[in-house]
Amino acid sequence: MADHVYKYVQPAFSSIANLQNQILDFVDMSSSFPSFRQLSKAVSAAVPAALFASGVARGGSPPSCSNPQLSCQNTTVVTDTCCFNAPGGQLLQTQFWDYNPPTGPSDHWTVHGLWPDHCDGTFDQYCDPNRQYTNISSIISAAGRTDLLDYMNTYWKDYQGNDESFWEHEWGKHGTCISTLEPSCYTNYVPQQEVVDYFQKVVDLFKTLDSYAFLSAAGIVPSTTQTYTSADIQAALAKPRGVQVAIQCASGALDEIWYFYDVQGSVQTGTFVPTDPDGSKSSCPATGVKYLPKTGTPPSTTMTTSTGTPPTSTSTPGSPFSGKGTLPVTTNGKVDGCIISGGTWYTTGTCATFTATASGSGFTLTSSKGKCAVSNNILTCASSVTAATVFSAVNGKLAYNGSTNFYTGSVPTGSTQASVSVAQQATTLTIGWTAS
């Protein structure tokens, strides 16, 4: 058995040994000795690359937690901090709205980070000086996670244009303080794999929190002339999750949102449970809150205050979802197939025709199979559906409970169909409308 294991891990360690020999040769032959920082960065980038390169092992295993407790809800001390986040038991997924200079897509908030607060709003920072890494992109690439890195390059942006330094800061200040990400928590730990787990978890959470869609569903949209109340902004952001958030303003303009979670188990594999703020406070004024578009345009001197009620429109409720049309699917920035009559996603063949019918402030959908509804988190269209779900439209996309994000396990190919869920899964998609 030992020989069998050695056959697979030996090439990785040989690569590390070769790297060490090359560095020693360089030191012997060079009259210009590189700095320790240069050597450190070279080794930091090469070691995980060697360990991840074989394709046999993709890193060690995160902690296996049996009946874990919910963080910040315990009544006695929990000593196993690999399965219980402590002392940073409340996790904040924080987002930016950078409008001047603008960063990220004009119709989407961007990632700030994931912060482990104590259960009272206080927090630790920079918890491990030995893991203040300066090569986040290299670590993620070495793990074969270019998809994660591509997403970060779009949605995790630094307003000064230095994304790498921003990522290093978030990991070093906050990531190193998450107890369940400690290297000792892993079985067969591979150096720096906890870094990849941290950034992946932040992105996974962020994908479920479409702040722009949440606000738009309540009629709160970027404007140079309109202002809003903090209460209406808070209500719009609380509606999809059932708990409050903290909002932050700079010079009276909304620029940050903090979403709060307690965690049952580890950050890597545990369940994130939405919760109210742990003591952190909002900094926005009660009224006159600006929500400026990402154009860099300075605020107008004349502004009106809205209560957050959606503006009156002469278009059909749910526009453009009206009459007959098809439901094209977009994922990874491109249209790929459509929703077919049963409510599943199909990337080949003919798109099904749906009928959108106004209902209250939204609309219902019907296909040749019957009414469409979200049942047990799955989009289903069938004759057995007795009560159709009332959907809404946000920026021309189908929305459920204010969110335009739908999910599936993987992109279907060939004749395969994929179920479409409103619960988070590996692949995120949006659904549009093409009138017939």
Side-chain angles (χ1 to χ4, degrees):
M1 180 63 179
D3 290 340
H4 180 72
V5 172
Y6 179 78
K7 178 176 70 174
Y8 290 102
V9 301
Q10 187 272 336
F13 287 103
S14 295
S15 297
I16 299 172
N18 289 337
L19 172 67
Q20 293 172 331
N21 289 334
Q22 290 170 19
I23 292 174
L24 291 174
D25 289 344
F26 178 78
V27 172
D28 290 339
M29 296 172 60
S30 175
S31 60
S32 177
F33 185 72
S35 69
F36 176 80
R37 179 180 176 85
Q38 290 172 319
L39 284 175
S40 176
K41 291 188 71 171
V43 173
S44 295
V47 168
L51 289 170
F52 282 115
S54 69
V56 175
R58 301 298 293 176
S61 301
S64 177
C65 304
S66 177
N67 299 318
Q69 293 192 48
L70 185 63
S71 61
C72 291
Q73 304 301 319
N74 57 307
T75 56
T76 58
V77 175
V78 178
T79 58
D80 182 7
T81 56
C82 288
C83 288
F84 183 83
N85 289 282
Q90 188 157 99
L91 279 293
L92 284 66
Q93 201 289 292
T94 53
Q95 301 184 9
F96 273 139
W97 181 260
D98 289 324
Y99 56 88
N100 188 16
T103 61
S106 62
D107 60 350
H108 214 291
W109 286 61
T110 55
V111 181
H112 187 169
L114 183 66
W115 306 346
D117 274 14
H118 297 180
C119 304
D120 59 0
T122 61
F123 59 92
D124 299 319
Q125 58 184 351
Y126 301 107
C127 294
D128 189 345
N130 294 321
R131 292 189 294 147
Q132 299 293 319
Y133 301 126
T134 58
N135 57 331
I136 301 300
S137 294
S138 297
I139 293 170
I140 295 173
S141 296
R145 298 308 313 276
T146 55
D147 57 332
L148 171 60
L149 193 58
D150 289 344
Y151 190 92
M152 290 167 58
N153 281 324
T154 300
Y155 293 103
W156 200 329
K157 306 296 293 179
D158 175 57
Y159 78 102
Q160 295 178 317
N162 195 337
D163 298 346
E164 183 73 24
S165 291
F166 184 26
W167 302 337
E168 293 167 4
H169 169 80
E170 289 302 306
W171 163 254
K173 182 176 181 179
H174 302 291
T176 59
C177 296
I178 298 176
S179 68
T180 58
L181 289 176
E182 284 288 335
S184 59
C185 293
Y186 288 80
T187 302
N188 299 322
Y189 171 72
V190 170
Q192 303 170 350
Q193 71 177 95
E194 77 279 16
V195 178
V196 182
D197 286 344
Y198 171 80
F199 285 97
Q200 184 64 63
K201 179 55 66 175
V202 182
V203 165
D204 288 345
L205 285 174
F206 176 76
K207 287 180 177 180
T208 70
L209 299 169
D210 190 343
S211 299
Y212 191 95
F214 296 166
L215 293 169
S216 295
I220 300 172
V221 295
S223 172
T224 57
T225 59
Q226 194 95 328
T227 65
Y228 306 94
T229 68
S230 282
D232 286 329
I233 294 172
Q234 290 271 14
L237 296 170
K239 183 178 179 180
R241 302 170 68 244
V243 292
Q244 293 297 310
V245 303
I247 57 175
Q248 309 301 328
C249 289
S251 301
L254 180 66
D255 69 349
E256 198 161 359
I257 299 171
W258 299 351
Y259 294 95
F260 296 78
Y261 294 88
D262 292 338
V263 183
Q264 189 170 23
S266 69
V267 160
Q268 301 93 308
T269 62
T271 300
F272 278 67
V273 179
T275 189
D276 289 312
D278 57 4
S280 301
K281 304 296 183 182
S282 297
S283 65
C284 294
T287 61
V289 178
K290 294 169 282 189
Y291 182 21
L292 299 173
K294 289 188 179 183
T295 60
T297 304
S300 170
T301 55
T302 303
M303 306 186 83
T304 58
T305 297
S306 166
T307 61
T309 302
T312 302
S313 172
T314 57
S315 62
T316 304
S319 178
F321 292 82
S322 178
K324 295 185 180 297
T326 59
L327 298 172
V329 171
T330 299
T331 185
N332 295 323
K334 65 178 182 179
V335 176
D336 192 1
C338 53
I339 302 299
I340 58 176
S341 58
T344 53
W345 177 19
Y346 196 46
T347 56
T348 58
T350 304
C351 295
T353 298
F354 290 80
T355 300
T357 305
S359 178
S361 60
F363 57 91
T364 60
L365 292 172
T366 306
S367 74
S368 61
K369 299 284 189 182
K371 298 175 182 178
C372 299
V374 175
S375 177
N376 295 322
N377 290 332
I378 301 297
L379 177 63
T380 303
C381 303
S383 59
S384 59
V385 175
T386 56
T389 294
V390 177
F391 297 95
S392 60
V394 175
N395 298 321
K397 299 293 186 181
L398 186 70
Y400 175 75
N401 283 345
S403 175
T404 59
N405 283 345
F406 293 84
Y407 305 92
T408 191
S410 61
V411 177
T413 59
S415 60
T416 303
Q417 301 175 26
S419 296
V420 175
S421 175
V422 296
Q424 182 186 347
Q425 296 185 33
T427 301
T428 304
L429 57 113
T430 59
I431 302 171
W433 179 259
T434 301
S436 299

